[in-house]
Every structure is written in structure tokens, then in C-alpha cells.
Amino acid sequence: MAHNPLHYLDDALAALRDQGLYRRFRVLDGEQRAHAVVDHRAVVNLSSNNYLGLTTHPRLRERALEALRELGVGTGSVRTIAGTMAIHMELERRLAAFKQTEAAVVFQSGFTANAGTVSSILGRDDVIVSDELNHASIIDGARLSRATIKVFPHRDTAAARRILEELPRQTRTLLITDGVFSMDGDLGALPGLCDLAEEFNCIMMVDDAHASGVFGRNGRGTVDHFGLHGRVHIQVGTLSKAIGALGGYVAGSQSLIEFLYHRARPFLFSTSHPPSVAATCIAALDVLETEPHWIDRLWENTRFFKAGLAALGFDTGVSESPITPVIVGDGALAMTLSDRLFEEGVFAQGIGFPTVPNGKARVRTIVTATHSRDELQFALDAFKKVGGQLGILREPRPGTTPHPETRPA
């Protein structure tokens, strides 16, 4: 038998199976919708980041088709050689105006936007002060930068202050948080961190991937939600969640964006977006600015579903957003809950270690603007049935109310 130096991977996969944590891909048959067909089964889809339903919005479809006919299927080059088209520049201008910053740059993904930015603006003599639950792309960018990494407990601004007080004042320091945390659905302590950044002369950065299109006026994100324009130096967002397409972006000063044009490695060494994708993203911004009812409906659905889960006695943690985890603790139990829900017609993926800490496994749900009330009630009924069968419902405490969402009225 041939020598296989990768046999240890088979052992690791076997261990995942033994622990009940091995997962295979669920395959979407057709469009990404609130009610979808997955693995040939019709299900209420609670696993998509398609917050506003824009993946199938007619205005986005039409703009994509127009660009496809006029500009072709791809660009054939990186942005810095022959891959910058007028439509890319238009998208960046629109994003900067939307975020109320001087400029913006588009990356191939939200992950590369985070990792490429952090790793390019800092070096080994610098310090990164980061919330412990920040996204993996922030963590990877911090490691690539070779800067010293200091981590503070989740949302603990007092602990962040203690870290900053111990640093020499001349140290170049990046203070960074998620705007909305992707597993727990709570908001970053952005106002307090902005105060610290100003007091200690830090670069302030926020990853608004799950806040774009969800929080703030017309979905401008947490900087707008908290009224912090001009106080956050680097805003990262995504084009692949509420925007409905693909990519990420960084918004900030003109000098920041020009520097990233010259030094951000994912930007320098990746082919630019197909023109149809860029056109789709521009159309999505049009929708955000002219059809605000989608965001209103998203929050109406969010309030209804959170209240329903709380009334049933599920542990939904500290969520303040459409991301609502159903926390069960044990990883295998979370996967069983997910599988049993799927059998009942509800697609809600189980999440375990290492995505979340050991003992914090959950099924993560995300409602969208395009869920009907009947679909959400169907999902709640399925959660009640399966949760009861698995013994994971807890009695709601008298007077308990679900965590309120924090979107301004």
C-alpha cells in the first residue's frame, strides 16, 4: 500500500464522527430564499445571512444581467494591472458616500477585507487590542501582521482600558471590535471603545459584516446606529450578507484607502470582481436607500421570533440582532437538534467547537425580511416539538421578556 503522509487527517475525521460533530454540506436546490429546497426537502431557511432577501431582488437581477451583456463575465486581471473597470470605481464611490467616509475599497471577500487591512497597516512593533470574540478574519489578520496581540474579555471596556494603560504611549495601537458578533448576535461595545481610542490615541476599527444592511439609517451599520461618524477610522463591511452578492469593503480616509490599494496583499493579488457582481452591489445600495421597508420588516420578524423562542423556554443568550442562537451546550446535542429540526422542515445549522467555545454549542438562527409570519410560526412549532423531545426546553422565569432589539425607532 502506498505511503500516506496525510493519514492523521483520517484519524481526525474519525474523531469528529465519534463525537457526533462530523457534518456534511447541506445542498441548496435552487434559489437562496426564506423558504428553500435543501437536500431535496422544502424547508423554512433559518441559516442564511440573506437578511433582506436581496439575493433574488428583481432590481439586483436586472442590473447583473445588464452588466453581463455589456461588460462580459469577468475582468481577467487584478485591480492594479488591467482589472479596474469604471463600475468598480463607481461601486467604491457609492460605498464611501453610503458610509459617510472619504473613500472605500472593495475586496474579494469580507474575510480578506479584514485580514488584508489589519496585516498591511501594522507591523511587529505595533499592538492590537481585540475583543475575545472577534471574527476569525480579524484574528488571522492580526497574526499575519506580526504585531503583539492583546485580547480583552468580551465587551469589557474596563479590561481594554487596563491593557491600554500598560502600553507605552508612543506605541501604535489598533483597537478593534465586531459591530455585531456573528455567533451570539450582540453588539460590540463601540461607544466605550471609541472613548478609549481617543483617550489613548488608538486606531479604531469595527467589522460591521453583520450590521451592514441591518443597523443604522438605511442599514449603514453600527457607526451610524451609535452616532459615531468621524470617530471610527476603519469600517469593514461585507457585500455578501445583507447586500446579497459577494465581497467585502473597507471605508475610511482617502489616505487609508490609497495605502490599501498599494499594500493590501489580497487586493493586490486577486482578480477583481466580475462586473455583474459590482453592478449587483450598486443596485443593492439603491434598494437600501429607496426601499427601507425591507429593514423594517426584518426587525418586525426578529421581534416576533425572539419572543416566540423566549416564551418556549429556549436559551437565546444575549442576542440584540436578527442572529438568535439557541444555546444547548453539548456539541453532539446541538447537531442532533439541527438534524431533527431539518426532519421537521426547518433548516437551522448546528454550531460547535472551534467556532464557539466548548460547552457553548448552539443552533444559530437568522430570520430575514422575507420570512412570512406563518413560516416563522411553523419554525417555532418545530422548535417546541423537537426541543421537548430532546429535553432542552427550560421553564421561562415569571416576568421574563426576550432581549429587546436595539435598533432605533
Side-chain angles (χ1 to χ4, degrees):
M1 190 168 101
H3 172 60
N4 179 16
L6 294 176
H7 67 85
Y8 66 95
L9 300 180
D10 295 324
D11 297 337
L13 289 170
L16 289 175
R17 291 186 178 94
D18 291 342
Q19 297 163 23
L21 300 178
Y22 180 86
R23 310 299 286 168
R24 64 175 183 83
F25 293 141
R26 296 285 189 189
V27 179
L28 182 66
D29 301 309
E31 297 177 336
Q32 182 70 263
R33 288 185 176 273
H35 193 270
V37 178
V38 179
D39 285 349
H40 310 300
R41 180 189 293 268
V43 293
V44 174
N45 183 2
L46 295 178
S47 287
S48 170
N49 295 317
N50 184 29
Y51 289 104
L52 303 178
L54 297 191
T55 59
T56 55
H57 193 288
R59 289 173 71 175
L60 276 68
R61 288 184 193 268
E62 192 55 40
R63 289 290 291 277
L65 289 170
E66 289 173 2
L68 190 67
R69 296 186 189 101
E70 296 173 7
L71 301 172
V73 299
T75 67
S77 181
V78 298
R79 289 281 302 275
T80 53
I81 299 179
T84 294
M85 304 176 77
I87 199 166
H88 296 124
M89 301 305 294
E90 179 186 355
L91 174 58
E92 290 177 345
R93 286 192 295 270
R94 286 291 305 276
L95 285 167
F98 185 71
K99 298 293 285 187
Q100 297 182 210
T101 60
E102 291 180 355
V105 55
V106 171
F107 283 77
Q108 287 69 28
S109 69
F111 195 105
T112 57
N114 260 329
T117 299
V118 175
S119 61
S120 63
I121 66 172
L122 299 175
R124 65 171 70 250
D125 296 327
D126 304 324
V127 175
I128 298 168
V129 181
S130 176
D131 189 292
E132 67 175 335
L133 296 186
N134 277 342
H135 193 271
S137 55
I138 293 173
I139 296 169
D140 286 0
R143 290 169 176 166
L144 287 169
S145 74
R146 298 176 295 175
T148 299
I149 303 169
K150 304 280 189 178
V151 177
F152 60 90
H154 183 47
R155 290 177 44 88
D156 190 340
T157 55
R161 168 180 286 279
R162 289 192 292 272
I163 293 172
L164 294 170
E165 287 174 340
E166 294 175 357
L167 298 176
R169 279 286 179 155
Q170 67 272 21
T171 304
R172 181 181 292 118
T173 304
L174 175 71
L175 186 56
I176 187 167
T177 182
D178 279 6
V180 174
F181 288 86
S182 62
M183 289 298 121
D184 289 302
D186 56 339
L187 275 71
L190 197 54
L193 293 176
C194 283
D195 291 342
L196 290 178
E198 290 166 356
E199 181 178 350
F200 292 93
N201 194 32
C202 302
I203 304 165
M204 187 67 230
M205 178 172 172
V206 61
D207 172 10
D208 250 353
H210 285 278
S212 300
V214 177
F215 283 90
R217 292 168 302 143
N218 301 94
R220 284 176 169 84
T222 55
V223 172
D224 190 88
H225 169 71
F226 287 117
L228 299 172
H229 288 289
R231 301 181 65 190
V232 176
H233 307 103
I234 305 172
Q235 297 184 54
V236 175
T238 180
L239 301 168
S240 49
K241 293 181 172 63
I243 298 300
L246 181 70
Y249 64 89
V250 177
S253 68
Q254 186 70 44
S255 59
L256 168 69
I257 302 310
E258 290 186 12
F259 183 83
L260 294 177
Y261 279 162
H262 287 82
R263 287 291 182 268
R265 292 173 68 82
F267 178 85
L268 290 170
F269 298 107
S270 298
T271 297
S272 56
H273 275 62
S276 58
V277 173
T280 299
C281 295
I282 294 169
L285 292 174
D286 291 338
V287 171
L288 288 177
E289 292 173 344
T290 62
E291 300 180 24
H293 63 274
W294 295 114
I295 299 177
D296 294 337
R297 191 176 301 171
L298 170 66
W299 282 103
E300 290 169 5
N301 284 344
T302 294
R303 286 189 289 269
F304 174 80
F305 194 67
K306 282 184 187 297
L309 288 173
L312 291 173
F314 284 102
D315 179 4
T316 58
V318 293
S319 173
E320 304 171 88
S321 72
I323 299 169
T324 306
V326 175
I327 302 170
V328 300
D330 179 71
L333 181 59
M335 303 310 161
T336 300
L337 173 60
S338 176
D339 289 342
R340 295 281 292 277
L341 285 169
F342 191 78
E343 292 172 4
E344 295 294 327
V346 176
F347 180 31
Q349 280 284 32
I351 309 288
F353 181 82
T355 305
V356 295
N358 275 319
K360 296 289 187 180
R362 77 277 312 269
V363 164
R364 185 180 73 159
T365 70
I366 300 179
V367 300
T368 71
T370 50
H371 279 108
S372 69
R373 190 58 56 91
D374 286 345
E375 288 166 347
L376 293 178
Q377 186 59 57
F378 176 89
L380 288 170
D381 292 343
F383 267 98
K384 179 180 181 180
K385 176 181 178 179
V386 176
Q389 292 171 344
L390 296 179
I392 58 177
L393 293 178
R394 64 181 187 182
E395 287 296 324
R397 295 187 302 274
T400 297
T401 57
H403 292 284
E405 52 87 4
T406 57
R407 180 170 175 257

